[in-house]
Amino acid sequence: MKRWLEKTCSSKDRLRKRAWHFLHPNPSKNIKETNGFKSRKAAPYIKELESFENELDKLIVNAEWKYVANDFQKKLHEDLKNIRQDKRLRVSADKTRKFNKMEPRSYHSLLNDNITKTYRKANPHDVPSLNREAKRIAKSLNLDDRIDQLAEREAFISLRDHKDNFANKPTCRLISPTKSDIGQISKQILDKVIKTIRTKTKVNLWKSTRDVLQWYNSITDRPNHSFVIFDIVEFYP
């Protein structure tokens, strides 16, 4: 029920924003550059949506629930019970939807080895310093009301179980979700630069499988061409 209420409120908020922009168009086209960051302001009240929102609320208030049991739910309940009783961790695979069972001690050892291989221990004062610098950049771009400070999150790994000799020498991908939102601004600027370079140099740079297929199908003399395949092991030294 909480999840349902949350999604309903989110839908009403988005609908109010769309309706407000429709009812109050901006003829000057003076659109603020937000670099993809969403506004934190609550949607304004729209009188024209009042009756619709009231009927939407009635659907939730008058909802009735009943117990339904089938083979799938029984199997799901049984699997959840087994997972809760098992002390091993479920670690996701790198390129598939599989999960591998792993002892907590082995997981933490592998995680620590990958962190210390790539990163060094930082000074505790570095985080406030980064936040101050990010605040300065956000204010200069008039985005300080849309960007959060750096959120410290735990790093984790995904197992590369498709690699050779994985059973004897497991490898993994280290994922560090602690990233500043300022990086999104840098990405927007870099995308514009890359787009300009692509337009002027006519260099192929594909962003989807469809683009690759279109390029490949346009090659007329395929037997006289070859592919060069390379794999980037790590982006950072």
Side-chain angles (χ1 to χ4, degrees):
M1 176 61 80
K2 289 181 181 179
R3 191 68 172 167
W4 191 13
L5 287 171
E6 177 189 351
K7 290 298 182 182
T8 303
C9 292
S10 176
S11 299
K12 288 163 64 174
D13 185 77
R14 294 197 304 272
L15 189 60
R16 284 183 179 184
K17 289 180 179 178
R18 289 291 184 92
W20 189 89
H21 285 291
F22 177 79
L23 296 172
H24 304 83
N26 186 2
S28 63
K29 304 295 181 182
N30 186 18
I31 301 176
K32 175 182 176 181
E33 177 59 54
T34 62
N35 290 283
F37 291 100
K38 296 181 179 179
S39 173
R40 303 298 176 85
K41 297 179 180 179
Y45 172 74
I46 306 296
K47 183 173 178 58
E48 289 82 355
L49 293 175
E50 182 178 3
S51 58
F52 171 77
E53 292 181 0
N54 291 337
E55 293 297 323
L56 191 61
D57 294 337
K58 288 180 183 178
L59 288 176
I60 300 177
V61 173
N62 299 325
E64 296 181 359
W65 306 87
K66 66 177 181 178
Y67 177 77
V68 177
N70 52 42
D71 294 337
F72 173 74
Q73 289 185 333
K74 290 179 181 178
K75 182 68 168 60
L76 184 64
H77 180 74
E78 183 181 344
D79 291 341
L80 288 173
K81 183 179 178 181
N82 294 332
I83 291 174
R84 291 191 182 103
Q85 292 176 349
D86 195 350
K87 300 300 182 181
R88 290 174 294 181
L89 300 176
R90 266 65 176 178
V91 184
S92 62
D94 184 39
K95 292 187 178 180
T96 63
R97 302 176 72 177
K98 294 193 302 181
F99 283 85
N100 300 273
K101 296 179 182 179
M102 198 171 187
E103 294 292 339
R105 180 179 297 179
S106 300
Y107 174 82
H108 289 297
S109 175
L110 196 59
L111 175 63
N112 183 69
D113 290 343
N114 280 270
I115 291 175
T116 54
K117 180 182 71 173
T118 307
Y119 297 92
R120 63 178 176 83
K121 191 173 183 180
N123 191 307
H125 300 292
D126 288 347
V127 174
S129 176
L130 288 171
N131 283 327
R132 286 193 295 270
E133 180 65 15
K135 182 180 179 180
R136 183 188 66 79
I137 296 173
K139 275 192 171 183
S140 66
L141 297 173
N142 197 20
L143 294 174
D144 50 320
D145 59 337
R146 295 170 180 254
I147 296 179
D148 293 323
Q149 66 177 6
L150 182 67
E152 299 182 40
R153 302 184 180 94
E154 293 287 338
F156 59 94
I157 57 175
S158 59
L159 296 175
R160 292 177 169 174
D161 54 359
H162 58 283
K163 296 291 185 180
D164 296 333
N165 200 25
F166 173 76
N168 299 321
K169 188 179 179 182
T171 58
C172 60
R173 183 188 301 274
L174 178 66
I175 302 172
S176 177
T178 303
K179 293 182 175 65
S180 173
D181 287 340
I182 301 300
Q184 184 172 333
I185 301 175
S186 303
K187 182 181 181 301
Q188 298 286 338
I189 297 172
L190 187 61
D191 284 344
K192 293 176 182 178
V193 174
I194 292 174
K195 185 177 180 180
T196 304
I197 294 174
R198 286 180 60 193
T199 304
K200 293 187 177 181
T201 61
K202 307 297 182 183
V203 174
N204 286 333
L205 179 62
W206 305 295
K207 292 188 175 182
S208 66
T209 304
R210 186 168 130 194
D211 292 341
V212 178
L213 292 175
Q214 287 179 349
W215 163 80
Y216 181 76
N217 291 330
S218 64
I219 299 176
T220 56
D221 194 13
R222 292 180 197 161
N224 293 328
H225 291 74
S226 300
F227 277 109
V228 176
I229 302 174
F230 66 95
D231 183 20
I232 299 174
V233 179
E234 289 183 275
F235 281 101
Y236 308 102

